[in-house]
Amino acid sequence: MDKEKRENKQYQRQAEKQEEKYAKKQGQRNHSYVRKAVQAGWGILTNAYLTGFINGTVYKGPLKNFCVPGMNCYSCPGALGACPIGAMQSVFDGRKRRFSFYVVGYLALIGLLVGRFVCGWLCLFGLIEELLYMIPTPKLHIPEKLDKILRYTKYVVLVILVFALPFFIRNEAGAGEPFFCKYLCPVGTLEGGIPLVLLNEGIRSAAGFLFKWKFAILILCIAASIFIYRPFCKYICPLGAFYALFQRVSLLRMNYDKEACINCGKCAGVCKMNVNPVKCPNSTECIRCGDCVKICPKNALSFKPQQGNMPVKYNRGNTKV
């Protein structure tokens, strides 16, 4: 009789574990759906100028004086706001070697508040990359050493194409030349270039080598996104690089509870940005998607506002303010 009771209790515990595991997995799946819905909803909201899609024109109303926090091309027919990177380049005054601090200060404020949260929740192009990665194909694993080197590319793009060249090289109007937008950005090609070429006959007839060059970069980025998770975000995006500068000091932070952690490794395994939250919970590569928080069986990870100078716990007892 005692043996039967023990077996029943053991069976009950196993059933409870299975239910908990299923609930956790379902919660993680729902979280992914919610995040993608937020990304899509934000993309629709900030590109809601339907007249532009009908007439092949660009909105130039008062809302264009404000930047959206994520990558979104100014020239997209539906765009209601300005692109932060485009604005950052265009505010340089090449004649006096000065620039407006409005855009930089606005983006710095966002970075100080939420770090790279924008990358994970409010970037339409990031959503497109994620959807492409969901195509069932063999995935490409970039060797860790090479991956770390490539991650610095976005900082090079930020410093050279977004800051340095527009500051020293000006166009005919005296403003900084938008080198990143003009020669490299695949977001502008997808959201602005292609729609305008298709909808506007004048622009279509004027499209030349530069459009073909940008189109080739877009195709390369799309193809890479099928095999590599968010390659543009990891290796090229200057906006992600800019927000990353504030990741470790932002108000919104990842909190790691060493006492609750059982070192199961699930958080590092689920992270597609190749971040180990246990070793570095506020890594500059983390896009605050929250997948690691949802999969943790002991709730050892959480997002919390930074409180004063309270230290953030790390895995080996180290602290980082």
Side-chain angles (χ1 to χ4, degrees), residues 6-160:
R6 285 196 299 271
E7 289 178 350
N8 288 337
K9 286 183 178 180
Q10 186 177 4
Y11 176 79
Q12 186 176 1
R13 284 196 296 269
Q14 290 177 349
E16 289 175 354
K17 286 182 179 180
Q18 288 295 328
E19 289 179 5
E20 183 180 352
K21 185 177 180 181
Y22 174 79
K24 201 74 177 178
K25 189 173 182 180
Q26 187 65 34
Q28 185 185 3
R29 187 181 292 113
N30 292 340
H31 171 78
S32 179
Y33 292 153
V34 169
R35 187 171 68 86
K36 286 180 173 57
V38 171
Q39 287 173 287
W42 179 256
I44 294 171
L45 181 65
T46 53
N47 292 280
Y49 184 63
L50 300 180
T51 303
F53 289 110
I54 297 173
N55 300 331
T57 56
V58 176
Y59 171 75
K60 295 183 179 180
L63 292 177
K64 270 288 172 69
N65 294 319
F66 302 94
C67 297
V68 295
M71 291 290 287
N72 197 75
C73 183
Y74 179 99
S75 297
C76 173
L80 294 174
C83 170
I85 293 298
M88 194 181 293
Q89 295 170 97
S90 65
V91 296
F92 284 102
D93 187 337
R95 293 162 295 186
K96 298 180 180 179
R97 299 292 185 262
R98 296 185 306 183
F99 71 98
S100 169
F101 286 91
Y102 154 67
V103 177
V104 177
Y106 165 72
L107 296 176
L109 177 61
I110 294 175
L112 286 170
L113 289 176
V114 295
R116 292 192 68 182
F117 174 86
V118 172
C119 304
W121 289 82
L122 300 179
C123 182
L124 180 60
F125 194 75
L127 171 62
I128 294 171
E129 289 182 281
E130 290 183 29
L131 295 177
L132 288 168
Y133 189 77
M134 292 174 65
I135 297 175
T137 59
K139 304 306 176 184
L140 181 62
H141 174 71
I142 306 296
E144 185 176 353
K145 290 185 178 179
L146 178 60
D147 177 70
K148 286 184 178 180
I149 294 173
L150 291 175
R151 302 263 181 161
Y152 287 103
T153 306
K154 59 181 175 286
Y155 296 99
V156 175
V157 171
L158 175 66
V159 172
I160 296 180

Side-chain angles (χ1 to χ4, degrees), residues 193 196-198 200-212:
L196 289 176
V197 166
L198 293 175
N200 192 306
E201 186 176 350
I203 295 178
R204 183 164 59 249
S205 61
F209 172 77
L210 186 59
F211 176 76
K212 294 177 182 177

